[in-house]
């Protein structure tokens, strides 16, 4: 049986791991390659590296980091952050990334999703969507959730699927950093309206939140950062609890 | 031991090379027929879309070579699918090593299948020391039905082939190089055939 995936997310700035609370107040949480190795041994199903650097040499630094991770780690990983072209993706996949995630660049140039899916296959193209509710409507946001767009979350998600995305990583800005649980109603709607896997992100605070997002939110995978980085939740304990609740996991 | 990973421009070959290195071996990336023919073990990777990968294979002239190889050959993911008769993806004719047509998953399941699923009915030296129902990592939208050459099967809406073995040819739909310690063991079994 296909299992639900637990995905630690490592935010990367200038080659180091950081995690923002509501995407501000960054704290250092270690060396990415070391952390990746620890997580793979601890039972993580997959890893996401999200690069938030804004320097000139960021592409080179990221490509180099991907190579170092691929050398060490025997589970799949996704790389995202600032990816805006076929060339960007080509070098990251060549260096050993299994999937890439695009966000703002896909909103600005939706054709990029078609181009990437045609060249590399849908299976390695994740589209990340950050959204929050404005007057009851889920609105897609850019730049780490700071800039609202005109796009409705569900419309955009459907367009992304039609254009060839293999998976959606949905982060609720309303939930991110709150540790009050995932945005399960929006997730369940995404999961029922789309036929590609949905990764839940934003709001993980305890293991019950993961149970809820798989059961109520119908998510295929759940992503979190600080609860794992600061050892508030051990992945093995979490997976045992999920298994006790009859949620299929790899143990 | 000489291990060659066929480098025809359609595969996550870096990850396979690194996985082989972690097992204490080294692998050469090559599209040179002489290098490939003289290898002890050949790995035939593949990621991406079937018809464009097949075109790249033909452009490099390796489509005729691969079915004639005599040493153990392991096709991985799309590599395994291209070793079949045909795939629905891009209406692509394959190398015809495994006598089966590759089909797209229907819409009763999410497509692509991404993640960890279980392998059962293991009947090949590839799975020496591997328990039934072990988890392996898959990412794919097309699948090969069960045949007489099936040596591992998986359920995703239906039961299908996650590994083949016929003569000196092996194929895995899953990625051994990304399937944690289980995948590394399977890759090691292949290298030590």
């Amino acid at each position: 049986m296909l299992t639900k995936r637990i995905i630690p997310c490592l935010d990367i700035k200038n080659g180091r791991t950081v995690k923002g609370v509501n995407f501000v107040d960054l704290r250092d949480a270690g060396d990415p390659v070391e952390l990746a190795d620890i997580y793979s041994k601890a039972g993580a199903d997959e890893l996401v590296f999200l690069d938030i650097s804004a320097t000139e040499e960021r592409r080179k630094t990221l490509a180099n980091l991907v190579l170092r991770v691929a050398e060490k780690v025997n589970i799949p990983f996704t790389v995202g952050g600032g990816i805006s072209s076929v060339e960007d993706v080509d070098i990251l996949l060549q260096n050993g990334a299994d999937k890439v995630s695009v966000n703002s660049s896909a909103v600005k140039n939706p054709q990029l999703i078609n181009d990437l899916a045609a060249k590399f296959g849908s299976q390695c193209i994740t589209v990340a969507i950050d959204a929050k509710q404005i007057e009851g409507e889920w609105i897609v946001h850019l730049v780490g959730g700071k800039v609202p767009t005109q796009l409705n979350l569900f419309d955009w998600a459907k367009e992304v699927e039609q254009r060839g995305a293999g998976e959606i990583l949905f982060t609720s800005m309303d939930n991110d950093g709150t540790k009050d649980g995932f945005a399960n109603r929006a997730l369940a709607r995404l999961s029922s309206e789309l036929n590609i896997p949905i990764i839940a992100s934003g709001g993980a605070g305890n293991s019950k939140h993961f149970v809820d997002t798989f059961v109520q939110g119908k998510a295929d995978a759940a992503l979190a950062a600080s609860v794992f980085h600061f050892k508030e939740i051990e992945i093995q304990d979490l997976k045992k609890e999920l298994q006790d609740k009859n949620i299929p996991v790899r143990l | 031991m000489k291990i060659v990973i066929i480098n025809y421009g359609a595969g996550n070959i870096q990850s396979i090379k690194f996985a082989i290195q972690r097992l204490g071996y080294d692998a050469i990336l090559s599209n040179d027929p002489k290098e490939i023919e003289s290898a002890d073990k050949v790995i035939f990777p593949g990621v991406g879309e079937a018809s464009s990968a097949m075109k790249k294979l033909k452009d490099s002239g390796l489509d005729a070579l691969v079915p004639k190889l005599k040493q153990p050959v392991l096709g991985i993911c799309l590599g395994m699918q291209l070793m079949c008769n045909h795939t629905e993806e891009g209406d692509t004719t394959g190398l015809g090593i495994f006598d089966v047509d590759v089909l797209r998953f229907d819409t009763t399941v999410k497509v692509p299948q991404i993640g960890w699923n279980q392998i059962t009915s293991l009947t090949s030296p590839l799975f020496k020391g591997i328990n039934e129902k072990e988890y392996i990592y898959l990412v794919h939208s097309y699948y090969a039905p069960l045949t007489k050459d099936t040596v591992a099967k998986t359920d995703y809406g239906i039961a299908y082939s996650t590994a083949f073995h016929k003569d000196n040819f092996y194929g895995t739909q899953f990625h051994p190089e990304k399937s944690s310690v289980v995948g590394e063991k399977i890759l090691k079994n292949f290298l030590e055939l």
Side-chain angles (χ1 to χ4, degrees):
Chain A
M1 193 172 197
L2 181 66
T3 63
K4 301 291 186 181
R5 287 171 281 154
I6 299 298
I7 309 177
C9 177
L10 289 75
D11 287 0
I12 304 295
K13 191 173 185 182
N14 306 326
R16 297 279 294 172
T17 313
V18 288
K19 169 59 190 171
V21 176
N22 273 337
F23 290 141
V24 286
D25 297 335
L26 299 175
R27 281 198 284 176
D28 197 337
D31 169 46
V33 179
E34 200 179 317
L35 256 179
D37 190 42
I38 289 167
Y39 281 132
S40 69
K41 291 184 173 121
D45 295 307
E46 200 174 311
L47 299 166
V48 168
F49 295 87
L50 188 62
D51 187 49
I52 53 169
S53 314
T55 55
E56 290 281 320
E57 59 278 16
R58 53 170 300 283
R59 278 188 170 77
K60 204 174 155 190
T61 310
L62 185 61
N64 185 40
L65 175 66
V66 166
L67 199 62
R68 290 200 296 132
V69 173
E71 192 170 7
K72 187 91 176 169
V73 172
N74 59 13
I75 59 168
F77 65 96
T78 304
V79 181
I83 295 168
S84 59
S85 70
V86 168
E87 294 72 32
D88 288 349
V89 173
D90 203 17
I91 184 80
L92 294 171
L93 294 179
Q94 271 185 39
N95 279 12
D98 297 280
K99 294 184 276 182
V100 295
S101 134
V102 292
N103 189 336
S104 301
S105 57
V107 172
K108 289 171 194 157
N109 171 24
Q111 178 63 28
L112 179 66
I113 303 168
N114 303 63
D115 295 347
L116 294 176
K119 181 151 169 70
F120 306 105
S122 291
Q123 81 290 333
C124 63
I125 309 302
T126 302
V127 174
I129 305 177
D130 298 338
K132 64 179 161 191
Q133 295 178 88
I134 296 176
E135 291 169 5
E137 188 186 355
W138 281 98
I139 299 292
V140 177
H141 281 63
L142 301 181
V143 202
K146 292 194 199 86
V147 180
T149 67
Q150 303 291 315
L151 293 167
N152 170 284
L153 164 66
F154 303 100
D155 295 341
W156 175 234
K158 275 176 226 162
E159 180 177 344
V160 155
E161 179 182 34
Q162 280 159 12
R163 287 180 178 275
E167 185 171 55
I168 286 174
L169 166 56
F170 164 52
T171 302
S172 163
M173 309 307 306
D174 291 339
N175 301 59
D176 198 60
T178 65
K179 299 200 171 187
D180 276 343
F182 296 91
N184 293 326
R185 263 192 291 184
L187 281 160
R189 189 172 157 194
L190 283 173
S191 207
S192 68
E193 292 184 6
L194 274 66
N195 200 46
I196 56 177
I198 309 292
I199 305 172
S201 163
N206 59 44
S207 52
K208 186 178 178 297
H209 294 151
F210 287 85
V211 174
D212 291 345
T213 204
F214 292 133
V215 176
Q216 295 160 20
K218 301 185 186 340
D220 298 286
L223 176 145
S226 59
V227 289
F228 297 135
H229 297 333
F230 298 106
K231 295 192 177 293
E232 291 160 29
I233 298 177
E234 295 286 350
I235 292 172
Q236 284 299 315
D237 298 341
L238 170 60
K239 285 189 159 182
K240 280 178 193 139
E241 190 167 337
L242 292 169
Q243 192 176 49
D244 288 344
K245 299 283 190 314
N246 293 318
I247 296 166
V249 288
R250 178 180 65 110
L251 262 171
Chain B
M1 178 161 54
K2 183 173 177 179
I3 303 160
V4 172
I5 303 169
I6 301 179
N7 182 11
Y8 63 108
N12 190 348
I13 50 180
Q14 199 66 56
S15 295
I16 300 171
K17 187 175 159 66
F18 283 143
I20 291 169
Q21 282 175 6
R22 287 195 295 271
L23 292 169
Y25 296 95
D26 204 6
I28 303 162
L29 311 176
S30 179
N31 61 0
D32 177 356
K34 286 202 183 79
E35 285 277 8
I36 296 166
E37 280 180 316
S38 68
D40 298 302
K41 300 283 169 5
V42 175
I43 293 180
F44 178 44
V47 168
E49 194 275 327
S51 64
S52 50
M54 196 63 199
K55 185 178 181 305
K56 285 177 187 165
L57 192 68
K58 283 183 173 165
D59 289 348
S60 59
L62 298 173
D63 58 316
L65 176 77
V66 173
K68 289 182 189 149
L69 292 171
K70 300 293 178 219
Q71 64 278 65
V73 178
L74 175 65
I76 296 175
C77 195
L78 182 61
M80 182 211 85
Q81 294 190 353
L82 294 181
M83 289 162 83
C84 299
N85 287 340
H86 179 269
T87 167
E88 269 188 352
E89 189 177 23
D91 189 16
T92 307
T93 301
L95 300 176
I97 296 166
F98 303 125
D99 186 15
V100 62
D101 290 347
V102 176
L103 309 171
R104 188 172 167 88
F105 282 120
D106 69 29
T107 51
T108 58
V109 288
K110 287 195 174 184
V111 182
Q113 175 178 216
I114 300 180
W116 299 77
N117 203 328
Q118 290 165 301
I119 43 175
T120 59
S121 308
L122 308 176
T123 54
S124 162
L126 214 49
F127 300 110
K128 196 177 76 180
I130 302 290
N131 296 324
E132 291 283 315
K133 296 190 174 179
E134 281 286 11
Y135 291 97
I136 42 73
Y137 180 76
L138 295 154
V139 48
H140 63 126
S141 303
Y142 295 80
Y143 71 96
L146 302 175
T147 78
K148 64 178 173 44
D149 299 323
T150 302
V151 291
K153 66 178 190 181
T154 293
D155 284 304
Y156 191 59
I158 54 157
Y160 69 98
S161 302
T162 26
F164 288 117
H165 175 196
K166 182 185 179 186
D167 306 323
N168 57 314
F169 294 99
Y170 299 79
T172 62
Q173 179 63 63
F174 57 87
H175 287 272
E177 77 281 14
K178 290 290 175 178
S179 295
S180 192
V181 289
V182 171
E184 284 177 348
K185 173 86 176 133
I186 294 166
L187 199 55
K188 188 166 188 279
N189 285 342
F190 171 74
L191 297 178
E192 294 176 357
L193 279 172

